[in-house]
Amino acid sequence: AQKVTQAQTEISVVEKEDVTLDCVYETRDTTYYLFWYKQPPSGELVFLIRRNSFDEQNEISGRYSWNFQKSTSSFNFTITASQVVDSAVYFCALSDSNAGGTSYGKLTFGQGTILTVHP
Amino acid sequence: ETGVTQTPRHLVMGMTNKKSLKCEQHLGHNAMYWYKQSAKKPLELMFVYNFKEQTENNSVPSRFSPECPNSSHLFLHLHTLQPEDSALYLCASSQEYRGGNTIYFGEGSWLTVV
């Protein structure tokens, strides 16, 4: 069975601090996909990134960066120089591509991390 | 601007009412989803439609009834709900129902059952 764990329930930082959100996953599949979503107070889940299990290159997009480490089954997300607008709930998610598996096509979410950035 | 739009954004209904949530996607996708997000609970997948066929019903009570007339539209019909059904209902879509496809979400419909 798939599982995603976001151990940090809430994080509070002051603007301009760097912050890392942790994500640890479990899957028996060799081919799988990892995602991060942002949910601001308005409610919409905003897609941030998708990585497949064969691409371990870290990715940077502006102030956002992602560190994918298969050896530790982690896909951590770092926000550099945080801003108040980064305040939101962040979800890590996992899906596999095993057509024969019971979790085929399903997106398994972590519990989410509430990030509050204070001015 | 989101490619998945939901109406209404907020809904208050009594336990004897019948109402519907509407979702429309403008992304040319073939799979559509309903998720439920309650306080202190993870996101729960309710229903999946792939190419207009229902492929997942995650043990959802019959007081929730989905309808998918075409690949672009999805409804969730609500009747005789309970207060514990109060939650954020999120519609989503993806190219198809297949592992690895990115799922895009709407802004959600906040439902309060009184």
Side-chain angles (χ1 to χ4, degrees):
Chain A
Q2 296 180 324
K3 186 178 178 183
V4 176
T5 302
Q6 295 179 253
Q8 304 147 309
T9 306
E10 291 191 52
I11 300 176
S12 182
V13 299
V14 177
E15 214 169 16
K16 297 185 184 176
E17 284 185 28
D18 298 346
V19 58
T20 295
L21 283 62
D22 298 332
C23 172
V24 174
Y25 62 91
E26 295 176 28
T27 179
R28 294 180 181 177
D29 300 302
T30 55
T31 302
Y32 52 89
Y33 300 83
L34 295 161
F35 302 81
W36 275 96
Y37 287 87
K38 172 183 179 180
Q39 188 176 39
S42 60
E44 179 187 4
L45 273 164
V46 179
F47 165 71
L48 295 178
I49 189 171
R50 168 187 178 271
R51 301 307 299 273
N52 73 55
S53 53
F54 297 108
D55 183 2
E56 288 193 70
Q57 278 195 333
N58 292 330
E59 181 152 343
I60 298 174
S61 177
R63 296 184 297 108
Y64 295 171
S65 61
W66 289 269
N67 184 339
F68 177 28
Q69 293 206 347
K70 253 174 136 170
S71 60
T72 55
S73 297
S74 65
F75 186 44
N76 297 336
F77 172 32
T78 297
I79 301 175
T80 304
S82 59
Q83 299 176 2
V84 173
V85 293
D86 296 327
S87 297
V89 184
Y90 290 86
F91 291 93
C92 180
L94 164 72
S95 79
D96 65 46
S97 65
N98 178 9
T102 57
S103 59
Y104 178 64
K106 291 184 180 176
L107 197 58
T108 300
F109 285 89
Q111 296 275 37
T113 296
I114 302 170
L115 173 65
T116 303
V117 181
H118 299 281
Chain B
E1 183 180 323
T2 179
V4 180
T5 56
Q6 291 186 238
T7 55
R9 293 294 320 282
H10 298 270
L11 177 63
V12 179
M13 60 185 289
M15 290 189 284
T16 57
N17 289 162
K18 286 186 180 181
K19 297 284 184 184
S20 296
L21 305 180
K22 179 185 175 182
C23 176
E24 182 175 1
Q25 58 95 0
H26 313 274
L27 301 169
H29 289 164
N30 296 298
M32 295 189 76
Y33 309 75
W34 280 114
Y35 279 84
K36 176 183 178 182
Q37 187 177 26
S38 308
K40 301 180 182 178
K41 274 190 173 183
L43 281 149
E44 301 173 70
L45 178 63
M46 300 175 72
F47 301 104
V48 181
Y49 280 82
N50 197 35
F51 293 91
K52 298 189 297 178
E53 297 294 321
Q54 188 180 122
T55 54
E56 292 283 345
N57 178 336
N58 210 19
S59 302
V60 181
S62 59
R63 58 185 184 270
F64 294 92
S65 174
E67 179 189 359
C68 187
N70 55 60
S71 293
S72 299
H73 294 86
L74 184 65
F75 295 89
L76 188 62
H77 303 300
L78 315 168
H79 60 98
T80 59
L81 295 191
Q82 305 298 311
E84 59 264 29
D85 296 322
S86 298
L88 175 65
Y89 289 85
L90 288 156
C91 177
S93 72
S94 66
Q95 189 58 47
E96 58 181 296
Y97 183 50
R98 181 176 178 177
N101 274 210
T102 299
I103 297 178
Y104 294 91
F105 288 83
E107 292 179 301
S109 295
W110 294 91
L111 173 67
T112 303
V113 181
V114 298

